[in-house]
């Protein structure tokens, strides 16, 4: 098994006639992804790499049974594209766009959550369940080079670090059940701990690696879930960006934001919080891979 | 983008919200004339993008045009945050019988409203001394803030009686403005109540989403001072001049130049270099762009930074971008800046598509060390720290 996407996932690509839409669609088809439809208003009836294009997501879903949407849409169009895909019944959405207007992001996330849909992003390069399915550019032209199938779940705030982690696992003789770049923006469709809960329930995932950064409450929520025992599988964490604490603050937060964001915001505070909850915290990729190998019994203590 | 108070108040007034109607003055006589027109008395506020102006003498009440003139003269002679105060906002004096606090900002997922029974003071101070007077409310962005929600919250913060009706309606309309203006922060401190309980937005701070400036018809003022450091400014200029994702470059006090890409991998490499005893001369990040200009701008900045003694090109495993693209930009900048990589070490940890082509290009930069395909991010950091140290020892030996 895997989380969120697998062999049964039927993908509709919103914005399939744009450059990035076309490019990623070709790479995904080459990986064997079941892309059943594309959507660009006004281009219905065309095809892209053999994939039929529709004018609306609703039409695409009705005609093809698509259940997951990948959005290659400019920042100011993403909110409505999310609304459209959610209304049409897509259960998993991937929004690659970065630099979304904040209000749009908040509204899109709220709309997806209200319908129980799972929005991956914003600012993600994708999610991959190796050998089964992938959404987005993750893995590029050769996903097997860094994403061999296995039993480790990866949740990363950075698409690049998702690849580095999977590659480090590969060097340690391990593979990935599902790896997700959850989105690097402050507002994301789902939080890190929600992904871990899916991995916790997945019988084919033995342990998880998370990659976090300064800002947001994602890592604090993970620490709480592990401490409370709702996440029992081994979790190894990397949190980068401690160097920022050594320099005078370049960005001054408004004092309201500072008050409501809380103090657990720095990489060092997050590492400490995770460690005290029982999460193994690694300083480097190789160390993270070793910790996972040990926790899953792949190498002796 | 932070708005100055005159602009913020004008935007609120144009939506029918009760912000005092003032005007700007950049000399004492204009301030006096404005006070005259407002009936003699006026409030003068320095137009600087900062809070807590009261404590710095940057908000003054004048009882007559003459007082307005001398107050303006004093304020315009002030420096604030390294810059001279050059403009004042002059507005009528508002009757203040009571003061409240209200703000809207963003949490991780949704907007949040903070309101407090006490305005005119810093919200943190109230939160510390009287937390029950402060309400922090998460807002459902699909529903917004309704007047009756706001009435309930103001009640809980300790406001009673007549003012609640007007406050509830005002709060809901302010939230609508916060959304419609694409604000990321809107702080009303204080919200003043007159003796009849009528509210007035006396203190306004607002920040507009940088990623929504276009659709708001706003522009970052062109010609506004970019970064004071000429190399940081050059990278910003390249960002404005060419299409695609932006590059970021900020200088630090070390000697290892960093061109690290993929936000996350950049943070990790910076941490690792410091833990290995190295000191970066800058931090950077680059995003995909159709041309190499923005990438070259970062290379140029690193090569012309007098503190830089070496360069790490540390990319995360590339999935969509091409390695040869990076190598080509590097070679152009090395040649333009006449860098000798035998004295100024260059280490590349660059793997992924078109790697062979990239290796062929870098082979034309004598001394550049392109790490093997199986090198990790840590290997790249170790290599640059060691090479920088070797170069330092060689320089010392030569002196």
């Amino acid at each position: 098994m895997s989380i969120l996407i697998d062999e049964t996932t039927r993908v509709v690509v919103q914005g399939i006639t744009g450059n990035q839409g076309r490019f990623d669609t070709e790479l995904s088809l080459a990986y064997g992804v079941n892309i059943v439809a594309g959507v660009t208003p006004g281009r219905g009836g065309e095809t892209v790499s053999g994939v039929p294009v529709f004018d609306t997501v609703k039409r695409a879903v009705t005609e093809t049974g698509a259940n997951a949407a990948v959005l290659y849409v400019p920042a100011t169009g993403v909110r409505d594209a999310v609304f459209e895909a959610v209304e049409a019944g897509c259960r998993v959405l991937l929004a690659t766009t970065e630099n979304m207007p904040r209000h749009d992001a908040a509204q899109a996330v709220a709309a997806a959550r209200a319908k129980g849909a799972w929005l991956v992003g914003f600012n993600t390069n994708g999610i991959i369940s190796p050998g089964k399915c992938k959404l987005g550019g993750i893995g590029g032209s050769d996903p097997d080079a860094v994403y061999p199938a296995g039993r480790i779940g990866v949740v990363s705030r950075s698409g690049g670090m998702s690849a580095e982690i999977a590659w480090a696992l590969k060097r340690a003789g391990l593979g990935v059940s599902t790896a997700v770049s959850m989105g690097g923006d402050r507002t994301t469709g789902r939080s890190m701990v929600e992904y871990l809960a899916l991995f916790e329930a997945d019988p084919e995932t033995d342990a998880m690696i998370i990659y976090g950064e300064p800002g947001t409450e994602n890592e604090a929520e993970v620490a709480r879930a592990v401490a409370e025992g709702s996440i029992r599988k081994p979790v190894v964490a990397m949190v980068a960006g401690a160097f920022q604490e050594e320099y005078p603050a370049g960005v001054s937060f408004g004092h309201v934001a500072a008050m409501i964001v809380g103090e657990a915001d720095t990489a060092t505070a997050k590492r400490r919080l995770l460690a005290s909850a029982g999460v193994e915290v690694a300083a480097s990729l190789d160390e993270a891979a070793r910790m996972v190998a040990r926790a899953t019994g792949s190498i002796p203590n | 983008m932070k708005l100055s108070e005159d602009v913020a108040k004008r935007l609120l007034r144009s939506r029918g919200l009760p912000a005092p109607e003032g005007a700007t003055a950049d000399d004492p006589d204009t301030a006096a004339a404005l006070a005259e027109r407002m009936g003699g008395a006026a409030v003068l506020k320095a137009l600087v993008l900062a809070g807590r102006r009261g404590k710095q003498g940057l908000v003054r009440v004048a009882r007559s045009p003459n007082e307005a003139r001398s107050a303006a003269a004093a304020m315009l002679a002030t420096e604030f945050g390294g810059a001279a105060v050059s403009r004042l906002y002059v507005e009528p004096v508002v009757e203040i019988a009571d003061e409240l606090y209200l703000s809207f900002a963003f949490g991780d997922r949704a907007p949040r409203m903070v309101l407090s029974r006490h305005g005119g003071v810093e919200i943190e101070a109230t939160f510390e001394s009287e937390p029950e007077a402060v309400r922090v409310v998460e807002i459902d962005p699909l529903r917004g803030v309704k007047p009756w929600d706001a009435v309930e919250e103001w009640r809980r913060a300790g406001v009673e009686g007549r003012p609640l009706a007007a406050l509830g309606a005002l709060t809901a309309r302010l939230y609508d403005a916060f959304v419609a203006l694409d604000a990321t922060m809107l702080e009303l401190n204080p919200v003043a109540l007159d003796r009849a309980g009528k509210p007035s937005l006396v203190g306004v701070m607002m920040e507009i989403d940088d990623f929504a400036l276009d659709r708001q018809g706003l522009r970052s003022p062109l010609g506004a001072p970019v970064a004071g450091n000429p190399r940081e400014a050059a990278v910003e200029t390249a960002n404005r001049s060419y299409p695609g994702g932006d590059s970021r470059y900020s200088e630090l006090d070390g000697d290892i130049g960093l061109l690290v890409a993929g936000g996350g991998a950049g943070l990790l490499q910076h941490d690792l270099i410091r833990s290995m005893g190295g000191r970066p001369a800058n931090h950077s990040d680059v995003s995909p762009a159709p041309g190499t200009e923005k990438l070259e701008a970062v290379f140029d900045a690193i090569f012309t930074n007098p503190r830089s003694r070496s360069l790490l090109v540390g990319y995360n495993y590339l999935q969509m971008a091409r390695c040869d693209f990076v190598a080509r930009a590097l070679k152009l900048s090395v040649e333009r800046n006449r860098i000798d990589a035998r004295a100024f070490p260059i280490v590349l940890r660059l793997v992924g598509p078109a790697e062979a082509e990239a290796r062929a290009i870098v082979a034309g930069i004598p001394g550049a060390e392109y790490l093997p395909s199986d090198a990790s991010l840590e290997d790249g950091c170790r290599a640059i720290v060691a090479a920088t140290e070797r170069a330092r020892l060689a320089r010392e030996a030569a002196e």
Side-chain angles (χ1 to χ4, degrees), chain A residues 177-202:
Chain A
S177 54
T178 298
V180 56
S181 153
M182 63 176 277
D185 283 2
R186 183 169 174 205
T187 299
T188 53
R190 295 283 173 162
S191 58
M192 200 177 260
V193 74
E194 293 183 287
Y195 286 98
L196 291 188
L198 295 184
F199 281 125
E200 179 75 16
D202 174 24

PDB file of all heavy atoms in Angstrom, chain A residues 177-202:
ATOM      1  N   SER A 177       7.587   4.137   0.657  1.00  0.00           N
ATOM      2  CA  SER A 177       6.191   3.749   0.391  1.00  0.00           C
ATOM      3  C   SER A 177       5.508   4.901  -0.343  1.00  0.00           C
ATOM      4  O   SER A 177       4.972   4.722  -1.431  1.00  0.00           O
ATOM      5  CB  SER A 177       5.458   3.397   1.688  1.00  0.00           C
ATOM      6  OG  SER A 177       5.551   4.445   2.631  1.00  0.00           O
ATOM      7  N   THR A 178       5.537   6.066   0.273  1.00  0.00           N
ATOM      8  CA  THR A 178       5.102   7.284  -0.405  1.00  0.00           C
ATOM      9  C   THR A 178       6.002   8.415   0.086  1.00  0.00           C
ATOM     10  O   THR A 178       6.347   8.468   1.266  1.00  0.00           O
ATOM     11  CB  THR A 178       3.629   7.640  -0.064  1.00  0.00           C
ATOM     12  OG1 THR A 178       2.780   6.584  -0.515  1.00  0.00           O
ATOM     13  CG2 THR A 178       3.204   8.944  -0.741  1.00  0.00           C
ATOM     14  N   ALA A 179       6.418   9.290  -0.825  1.00  0.00           N
ATOM     15  CA  ALA A 179       7.151  10.496  -0.436  1.00  0.00           C
ATOM     16  C   ALA A 179       6.335  11.682  -0.892  1.00  0.00           C
ATOM     17  O   ALA A 179       5.853  11.709  -2.023  1.00  0.00           O
ATOM     18  CB  ALA A 179       8.533  10.540  -1.076  1.00  0.00           C
ATOM     19  N   VAL A 180       6.168  12.639   0.009  1.00  0.00           N
ATOM     20  CA  VAL A 180       5.379  13.811  -0.352  1.00  0.00           C
ATOM     21  C   VAL A 180       6.121  15.085   0.010  1.00  0.00           C
ATOM     22  O   VAL A 180       6.683  15.212   1.090  1.00  0.00           O
ATOM     23  CB  VAL A 180       3.978  13.767   0.306  1.00  0.00           C
ATOM     24  CG1 VAL A 180       4.075  13.624   1.809  1.00  0.00           C
ATOM     25  CG2 VAL A 180       3.162  15.003  -0.052  1.00  0.00           C
ATOM     26  N   SER A 181       6.161  15.974  -0.961  1.00  0.00           N
ATOM     27  CA  SER A 181       6.599  17.339  -0.713  1.00  0.00           C
ATOM     28  C   SER A 181       5.318  18.088  -0.376  1.00  0.00           C
ATOM     29  O   SER A 181       4.504  18.374  -1.240  1.00  0.00           O
ATOM     30  CB  SER A 181       7.274  17.852  -1.985  1.00  0.00           C
ATOM     31  OG  SER A 181       7.190  19.241  -2.090  1.00  0.00           O
ATOM     32  N   MET A 182       5.095  18.306   0.915  1.00  0.00           N
ATOM     33  CA  MET A 182       3.768  18.769   1.384  1.00  0.00           C
ATOM     34  C   MET A 182       3.483  20.220   1.043  1.00  0.00           C
ATOM     35  O   MET A 182       2.343  20.677   1.141  1.00  0.00           O
ATOM     36  CB  MET A 182       3.633  18.562   2.899  1.00  0.00           C
ATOM     37  CG  MET A 182       4.620  19.375   3.719  1.00  0.00           C
ATOM     38  SD  MET A 182       4.351  19.200   5.515  1.00  0.00           S
ATOM     39  CE  MET A 182       3.032  20.405   5.751  1.00  0.00           C
ATOM     40  N   GLY A 183       4.538  20.944   0.627  1.00  0.00           N
ATOM     41  CA  GLY A 183       4.384  22.356   0.314  1.00  0.00           C
ATOM     42  C   GLY A 183       5.269  23.175   1.226  1.00  0.00           C
ATOM     43  O   GLY A 183       5.378  22.884   2.417  1.00  0.00           O
ATOM     44  N   GLY A 184       5.914  24.184   0.644  1.00  0.00           N
ATOM     45  CA  GLY A 184       6.861  24.981   1.414  1.00  0.00           C
ATOM     46  C   GLY A 184       6.290  26.304   1.888  1.00  0.00           C
ATOM     47  O   GLY A 184       6.919  27.010   2.664  1.00  0.00           O
ATOM     48  N   ASP A 185       5.105  26.657   1.422  1.00  0.00           N
ATOM     49  CA  ASP A 185       4.503  27.907   1.874  1.00  0.00           C
ATOM     50  C   ASP A 185       4.037  27.761   3.312  1.00  0.00           C
ATOM     51  O   ASP A 185       3.916  26.660   3.830  1.00  0.00           O
ATOM     52  CB  ASP A 185       3.306  28.266   0.985  1.00  0.00           C
ATOM     53  CG  ASP A 185       3.744  28.837  -0.360  1.00  0.00           C
ATOM     54  OD1 ASP A 185       4.968  28.911  -0.593  1.00  0.00           O
ATOM     55  OD2 ASP A 185       2.866  29.188  -1.160  1.00  0.00           O
ATOM     56  N   ARG A 186       3.758  28.923   3.939  1.00  0.00           N
ATOM     57  CA  ARG A 186       3.277  28.850   5.315  1.00  0.00           C
ATOM     58  C   ARG A 186       1.909  28.156   5.355  1.00  0.00           C
ATOM     59  O   ARG A 186       1.640  27.337   6.221  1.00  0.00           O
ATOM     60  CB  ARG A 186       3.178  30.255   5.902  1.00  0.00           C
ATOM     61  CG  ARG A 186       2.753  30.250   7.342  1.00  0.00           C
ATOM     62  CD  ARG A 186       2.914  31.611   7.979  1.00  0.00           C
ATOM     63  NE  ARG A 186       2.368  31.617   9.320  1.00  0.00           N
ATOM     64  CZ  ARG A 186       1.932  32.715   9.936  1.00  0.00           C
ATOM     65  NH1 ARG A 186       2.001  33.875   9.320  1.00  0.00           N
ATOM     66  NH2 ARG A 186       1.451  32.649  11.156  1.00  0.00           N
ATOM     67  N   THR A 187       1.065  28.480   4.412  1.00  0.00           N
ATOM     68  CA  THR A 187      -0.252  27.839   4.356  1.00  0.00           C
ATOM     69  C   THR A 187      -0.182  26.626   3.442  1.00  0.00           C
ATOM     70  O   THR A 187       0.158  26.743   2.271  1.00  0.00           O
ATOM     71  CB  THR A 187      -1.301  28.831   3.819  1.00  0.00           C
ATOM     72  OG1 THR A 187      -1.363  29.944   4.706  1.00  0.00           O
ATOM     73  CG2 THR A 187      -2.662  28.172   3.742  1.00  0.00           C
ATOM     74  N   THR A 188      -0.489  25.462   3.984  1.00  0.00           N
ATOM     75  CA  THR A 188      -0.525  24.246   3.173  1.00  0.00           C
ATOM     76  C   THR A 188      -1.869  23.564   3.370  1.00  0.00           C
ATOM     77  O   THR A 188      -2.544  23.776   4.381  1.00  0.00           O
ATOM     78  CB  THR A 188       0.596  23.259   3.566  1.00  0.00           C
ATOM     79  OG1 THR A 188       0.532  23.019   4.974  1.00  0.00           O
ATOM     80  CG2 THR A 188       1.962  23.811   3.209  1.00  0.00           C
ATOM     81  N   GLY A 189      -2.236  22.754   2.378  1.00  0.00           N
ATOM     82  CA  GLY A 189      -3.543  22.107   2.413  1.00  0.00           C
ATOM     83  C   GLY A 189      -3.716  21.211   3.629  1.00  0.00           C
ATOM     84  O   GLY A 189      -4.786  21.158   4.230  1.00  0.00           O
ATOM     85  N   ARG A 190      -2.678  20.485   3.947  1.00  0.00           N
ATOM     86  CA  ARG A 190      -2.703  19.602   5.104  1.00  0.00           C
ATOM     87  C   ARG A 190      -1.425  19.804   5.888  1.00  0.00           C
ATOM     88  O   ARG A 190      -0.405  20.204   5.340  1.00  0.00           O
ATOM     89  CB  ARG A 190      -2.808  18.132   4.663  1.00  0.00           C
ATOM     90  CG  ARG A 190      -4.118  17.805   3.970  1.00  0.00           C
ATOM     91  CD  ARG A 190      -5.258  17.663   4.953  1.00  0.00           C
ATOM     92  NE  ARG A 190      -6.540  17.518   4.271  1.00  0.00           N
ATOM     93  CZ  ARG A 190      -7.636  17.043   4.856  1.00  0.00           C
ATOM     94  NH1 ARG A 190      -7.607  16.655   6.124  1.00  0.00           N
ATOM     95  NH2 ARG A 190      -8.762  16.957   4.186  1.00  0.00           N
ATOM     96  N   SER A 191      -1.488  19.491   7.168  1.00  0.00           N
ATOM     97  CA  SER A 191      -0.311  19.697   8.005  1.00  0.00           C
ATOM     98  C   SER A 191       0.509  18.403   8.066  1.00  0.00           C
ATOM     99  O   SER A 191       0.039  17.318   7.726  1.00  0.00           O
ATOM    100  CB  SER A 191      -0.729  20.136   9.402  1.00  0.00           C
ATOM    101  OG  SER A 191      -1.570  19.164   9.965  1.00  0.00           O
ATOM    102  N   MET A 192       1.748  18.545   8.502  1.00  0.00           N
ATOM    103  CA  MET A 192       2.672  17.420   8.563  1.00  0.00           C
ATOM    104  C   MET A 192       2.091  16.254   9.368  1.00  0.00           C
ATOM    105  O   MET A 192       2.187  15.091   8.980  1.00  0.00           O
ATOM    106  CB  MET A 192       3.960  17.929   9.205  1.00  0.00           C
ATOM    107  CG  MET A 192       5.172  17.102   8.957  1.00  0.00           C
ATOM    108  SD  MET A 192       6.584  17.920   9.738  1.00  0.00           S
ATOM    109  CE  MET A 192       7.336  18.728   8.345  1.00  0.00           C
ATOM    110  N   VAL A 193       1.471  16.574  10.490  1.00  0.00           N
ATOM    111  CA  VAL A 193       0.979  15.508  11.367  1.00  0.00           C
ATOM    112  C   VAL A 193      -0.179  14.745  10.710  1.00  0.00           C
ATOM    113  O   VAL A 193      -0.372  13.553  10.965  1.00  0.00           O
ATOM    114  CB  VAL A 193       0.573  16.087  12.749  1.00  0.00           C
ATOM    115  CG1 VAL A 193      -0.739  16.861  12.677  1.00  0.00           C
ATOM    116  CG2 VAL A 193       0.509  14.984  13.802  1.00  0.00           C
ATOM    117  N   GLU A 194      -0.906  15.396   9.835  1.00  0.00           N
ATOM    118  CA  GLU A 194      -1.995  14.690   9.139  1.00  0.00           C
ATOM    119  C   GLU A 194      -1.427  13.647   8.168  1.00  0.00           C
ATOM    120  O   GLU A 194      -2.005  12.574   7.989  1.00  0.00           O
ATOM    121  CB  GLU A 194      -2.888  15.687   8.398  1.00  0.00           C
ATOM    122  CG  GLU A 194      -3.672  16.593   9.334  1.00  0.00           C
ATOM    123  CD  GLU A 194      -4.602  17.534   8.590  1.00  0.00           C
ATOM    124  OE1 GLU A 194      -4.105  18.488   7.967  1.00  0.00           O
ATOM    125  OE2 GLU A 194      -5.819  17.318   8.624  1.00  0.00           O
ATOM    126  N   TYR A 195      -0.300  13.968   7.531  1.00  0.00           N
ATOM    127  CA  TYR A 195       0.362  12.971   6.680  1.00  0.00           C
ATOM    128  C   TYR A 195       0.868  11.805   7.530  1.00  0.00           C
ATOM    129  O   TYR A 195       0.741  10.644   7.159  1.00  0.00           O
ATOM    130  CB  TYR A 195       1.529  13.602   5.913  1.00  0.00           C
ATOM    131  CG  TYR A 195       1.096  14.500   4.785  1.00  0.00           C
ATOM    132  CD1 TYR A 195       1.029  15.875   4.945  1.00  0.00           C
ATOM    133  CD2 TYR A 195       0.735  13.968   3.547  1.00  0.00           C
ATOM    134  CE1 TYR A 195       0.625  16.705   3.915  1.00  0.00           C
ATOM    135  CE2 TYR A 195       0.330  14.786   2.504  1.00  0.00           C
ATOM    136  CZ  TYR A 195       0.277  16.155   2.692  1.00  0.00           C
ATOM    137  OH  TYR A 195      -0.130  16.954   1.665  1.00  0.00           O
ATOM    138  N   LEU A 196       1.446  12.134   8.692  1.00  0.00           N
ATOM    139  CA  LEU A 196       1.969  11.059   9.539  1.00  0.00           C
ATOM    140  C   LEU A 196       0.846  10.133   9.992  1.00  0.00           C
ATOM    141  O   LEU A 196       1.040   8.920  10.115  1.00  0.00           O
ATOM    142  CB  LEU A 196       2.706  11.640  10.748  1.00  0.00           C
ATOM    143  CG  LEU A 196       4.025  12.363  10.434  1.00  0.00           C
ATOM    144  CD1 LEU A 196       4.760  12.721  11.719  1.00  0.00           C
ATOM    145  CD2 LEU A 196       4.923  11.511   9.534  1.00  0.00           C
ATOM    146  N   ALA A 197      -0.336  10.703  10.242  1.00  0.00           N
ATOM    147  CA  ALA A 197      -1.469   9.861  10.651  1.00  0.00           C
ATOM    148  C   ALA A 197      -1.829   8.868   9.531  1.00  0.00           C
ATOM    149  O   ALA A 197      -2.183   7.720   9.814  1.00  0.00           O
ATOM    150  CB  ALA A 197      -2.671  10.730  11.013  1.00  0.00           C
ATOM    151  N   LEU A 198      -1.734   9.304   8.278  1.00  0.00           N
ATOM    152  CA  LEU A 198      -1.998   8.370   7.164  1.00  0.00           C
ATOM    153  C   LEU A 198      -0.943   7.263   7.131  1.00  0.00           C
ATOM    154  O   LEU A 198      -1.262   6.087   6.941  1.00  0.00           O
ATOM    155  CB  LEU A 198      -2.001   9.111   5.825  1.00  0.00           C
ATOM    156  CG  LEU A 198      -3.086  10.166   5.575  1.00  0.00           C
ATOM    157  CD1 LEU A 198      -2.965  10.704   4.149  1.00  0.00           C
ATOM    158  CD2 LEU A 198      -4.471   9.590   5.789  1.00  0.00           C
ATOM    159  N   PHE A 199       0.323   7.648   7.300  1.00  0.00           N
ATOM    160  CA  PHE A 199       1.398   6.637   7.309  1.00  0.00           C
ATOM    161  C   PHE A 199       1.224   5.674   8.492  1.00  0.00           C
ATOM    162  O   PHE A 199       1.479   4.481   8.379  1.00  0.00           O
ATOM    163  CB  PHE A 199       2.769   7.304   7.393  1.00  0.00           C
ATOM    164  CG  PHE A 199       3.255   7.862   6.082  1.00  0.00           C
ATOM    165  CD1 PHE A 199       3.640   9.189   5.966  1.00  0.00           C
ATOM    166  CD2 PHE A 199       3.358   7.051   4.946  1.00  0.00           C
ATOM    167  CE1 PHE A 199       4.106   9.699   4.754  1.00  0.00           C
ATOM    168  CE2 PHE A 199       3.819   7.548   3.739  1.00  0.00           C
ATOM    169  CZ  PHE A 199       4.194   8.876   3.640  1.00  0.00           C
ATOM    170  N   GLU A 200       0.800   6.224   9.628  1.00  0.00           N
ATOM    171  CA  GLU A 200       0.589   5.401  10.820  1.00  0.00           C
ATOM    172  C   GLU A 200      -0.413   4.277  10.505  1.00  0.00           C
ATOM    173  O   GLU A 200      -0.259   3.157  10.956  1.00  0.00           O
ATOM    174  CB  GLU A 200       0.081   6.289  11.968  1.00  0.00           C
ATOM    175  CG  GLU A 200      -0.199   5.563  13.283  1.00  0.00           C
ATOM    176  CD  GLU A 200       1.070   5.175  14.042  1.00  0.00           C
ATOM    177  OE1 GLU A 200       2.149   5.722  13.704  1.00  0.00           O
ATOM    178  OE2 GLU A 200       0.982   4.328  14.951  1.00  0.00           O
ATOM    179  N   ALA A 201      -1.435   4.619   9.698  1.00  0.00           N
ATOM    180  CA  ALA A 201      -2.491   3.645   9.388  1.00  0.00           C
ATOM    181  C   ALA A 201      -2.155   2.771   8.182  1.00  0.00           C
ATOM    182  O   ALA A 201      -2.901   1.857   7.860  1.00  0.00           O
ATOM    183  CB  ALA A 201      -3.803   4.397   9.131  1.00  0.00           C
ATOM    184  N   ASP A 202      -1.040   3.045   7.517  1.00  0.00           N
ATOM    185  CA  ASP A 202      -0.694   2.299   6.298  1.00  0.00           C
ATOM    186  C   ASP A 202       0.124   1.063   6.652  1.00  0.00           C
ATOM    187  O   ASP A 202       1.256   1.176   7.131  1.00  0.00           O
ATOM    188  CB  ASP A 202       0.110   3.219   5.358  1.00  0.00           C
ATOM    189  CG  ASP A 202       0.618   2.458   4.134  1.00  0.00           C
ATOM    190  OD1 ASP A 202       0.005   1.436   3.785  1.00  0.00           O
ATOM    191  OD2 ASP A 202       1.638   2.888   3.560  1.00  0.00           O
TER     192      ASP A 202
END
